[in-house]
Amino acid sequence: MNKKVIAVLVSLAIFATACGSGTPQTVEVTRVVEVTKVVVATAAAPAATVAPAATAAAPAPAGFGETLKKVKARGKLVCGVNDQVPGFGFLDKGTGAFTGFDVDFCKALAAAVFGDATKVEYRAVTAAQRFPALQSGEIDVLIRNTTRNLTRDTDNTGNFVSTTFYDGQGIMVPTKLKVAKLADLKGATICVQTGTTTGPNLAEYMAANKVDYKPLVVDTADAAIAAYEAGRCDAFTTDKSGLSARISTLKTPADTVILDLTLSKEPLGPMVRHGDDQWFDIMQWTVFTTILAEEFGITSANVADVKAKDARPEVKRLTGADANAKMGAKLGLGDDFAFNIIKQVGNYAEIYDRNLGPKTKTAIPRGLNNLYTNGGLLYAPPFN
């Protein structure tokens, strides 16, 4: 029964008894008042509650900010890259210069951190070396045509940021073998590179399609191509982007064809170590900056003019024209970090076309790597 109802009944009972006996009512009235006070106080408590004052920000987790601090103290970024895949990560042994799509994202990160895209040391790492190099701190970031999957996202103490290139695994074969379908590879020797996802993917795909084959495992992409050209393997499998890149290096590119099949999904992108969320955010928003710049029509050639004249609020935040936004400060960077990326390296389309576009030897159609507005998968969150 409700406490208020009980209190009223008790009061009535006391009142009735008191009236019958002629006894003064002081004690009973006092009790009724006390009960009333208790009931009123209980009902009023929630109304008296006020919103708590804003609390101080939670302390940063261990490791937060350590990478940026170390990189700035060193005066340069150490970026783990490939040196054997034209268009993505390639070392010109004559000039000692690294070029490629992935290499340009190293430059973009250096532009964000230092305001100078040249402050990068490129560290060539093989497929087998790349994760230990990142784990040990030998490199600050891994940007080396690396496929994201659950195992790598957990077992290698690293975090992948947004995908920069959506790919799929393929197989290339000599035209003279007249391979028209997967079954034609029955009994074939296929080159695969150690330390990659291509070996397990190939095994699963061939088993599912009941095609027997012989894997020839090699250490590097150069070794795979050498074995392929020497006839030690009948086919070579890796990401389709890698196949397109390597065909351009063959003595007779026209004698090789990439089969019209895709063995797997291969989302490629940069990877950073676990434990430093600030560094993760910096790399993440370096990638997003290039995508947003393309979406807004901002290029390395017009970014200064856009900063001076464009009134769109998000564009003003992106270029640093809005002095009150302080977007860079949220990452521990200067507020012109995005401007520097765009000015010194370019937007996503510029990076793509420079390394993989139709005027290059690699020449890979953008396909899934178009903006979402053009039917692709590239999509960056708002810059606010």
Side-chain angles (χ1 to χ4, degrees):
M1 187 179 292
N2 189 291
K3 290 183 178 180
K4 189 177 290 186
V5 174
I6 294 172
V8 170
L9 292 175
V10 170
S11 300
L12 290 172
I14 293 170
F15 179 78
T17 303
C19 289
S21 62
T23 305
Q25 308 307 309
T26 304
V27 175
E28 286 73 5
V29 171
T30 300
R31 287 176 182 170
V32 172
V33 171
E34 288 175 351
V35 171
T36 303
K37 286 183 178 179
V38 172
V39 172
V40 171
T42 301
T49 303
V50 296
T55 57
F64 186 93
E66 292 300 317
T67 308
L68 179 61
K69 187 187 304 181
K70 182 175 74 171
V71 169
K72 283 188 170 182
R74 187 197 299 129
K76 63 181 177 182
L77 172 73
V78 180
C79 194
V81 296
N82 208 323
D83 63 348
Q84 298 181 12
V85 181
F88 284 88
F90 186 74
L91 172 62
D92 185 327
K93 295 179 180 178
T95 64
F98 281 87
T99 58
F101 179 84
D102 289 338
V103 170
D104 276 357
F105 277 98
C106 294
K107 293 177 180 178
L109 182 57
V113 172
F114 295 107
D116 186 344
T118 68
K119 291 190 173 182
V120 187
E121 176 186 329
Y122 301 103
R123 193 74 55 85
V125 288
T126 66
Q129 293 169 342
R130 54 185 162 177
F131 300 123
L134 183 65
Q135 292 164 353
S136 67
E138 178 187 340
I139 58 177
D140 303 313
V141 60
L142 176 65
I143 312 182
R144 185 200 178 281
N145 53 299
T146 300
T147 300
R148 179 178 188 171
N149 62 23
L150 188 148
T151 300
R152 288 177 170 179
D153 228 355
T154 54
D155 291 358
N156 291 296
T157 63
N159 286 324
F160 284 91
V161 303
S162 184
T163 297
T164 52
F165 192 92
Y166 291 92
D167 207 350
Q169 185 175 333
I171 301 176
M172 73 180 196
V173 296
T175 54
K176 66 182 181 181
L177 293 184
K178 297 181 180 180
V179 175
K181 57 186 182 299
L182 190 67
D184 294 336
L185 288 173
K186 184 175 182 179
T189 298
I190 303 178
C191 280
V192 295
Q193 190 178 343
T194 188
T196 69
T197 58
T198 56
N201 288 344
L202 178 66
E204 290 183 5
Y205 194 87
M206 297 299 256
N209 288 277
K210 297 180 173 58
V211 178
D212 296 327
Y213 72 102
K214 300 173 184 176
L216 177 61
V217 181
V218 294
D219 291 334
T220 66
D222 281 351
I225 291 300
Y228 176 84
E229 289 201 292
R232 293 176 56 211
C233 52
D234 304 306
F236 173 43
T237 182
T238 190
D239 300 340
K240 285 187 172 182
S241 59
L243 294 178
S244 297
R246 294 306 312 216
I247 284 178
S248 68
T249 68
L250 297 176
K251 295 174 184 176
T252 53
D255 291 344
T256 289
V257 64
I258 298 175
L259 298 180
D260 186 22
L261 57 86
T262 302
L263 281 64
S264 64
K265 293 183 292 186
E266 303 294 326
L268 312 178
M271 188 181 196
V272 297
R273 281 184 298 279
H274 279 160
D276 190 342
D277 288 350
Q278 182 194 53
W279 191 242
F280 173 89
D281 289 341
I282 290 171
M283 185 70 250
Q284 178 89 295
W285 283 96
T286 292
V287 174
F288 286 153
T289 290
T290 67
I291 297 171
L292 286 168
E294 180 182 2
E295 183 177 345
F296 288 131
I298 309 172
T299 68
S300 57
N302 71 13
V303 64
D305 193 51
V306 169
K307 181 177 181 179
K309 300 176 182 178
D310 200 308
R312 289 175 289 179
E314 189 170 0
V315 170
K316 291 180 70 175
R317 291 190 293 270
L318 184 67
T319 61
D322 183 352
N324 296 319
K326 304 296 181 186
M327 303 304 286
K330 300 178 187 300
L331 298 169
L333 303 176
D335 291 329
D336 58 352
F337 84 95
F339 176 90
N340 290 331
I341 291 171
I342 302 166
K343 180 65 177 175
Q344 298 181 31
V345 186
N347 65 28
Y348 184 93
E350 290 178 276
I351 294 171
Y352 193 101
D353 288 344
R354 182 162 56 241
N355 297 290
L356 308 171
K359 295 182 180 180
T360 67
K361 290 183 178 180
T362 307
I364 302 174
R366 281 189 66 172
L368 295 177
N369 296 295
N370 269 299
L371 294 177
Y372 73 102
T373 52
N374 293 329
L377 298 178
L378 295 186
Y379 184 103
F383 202 87
N384 58 23

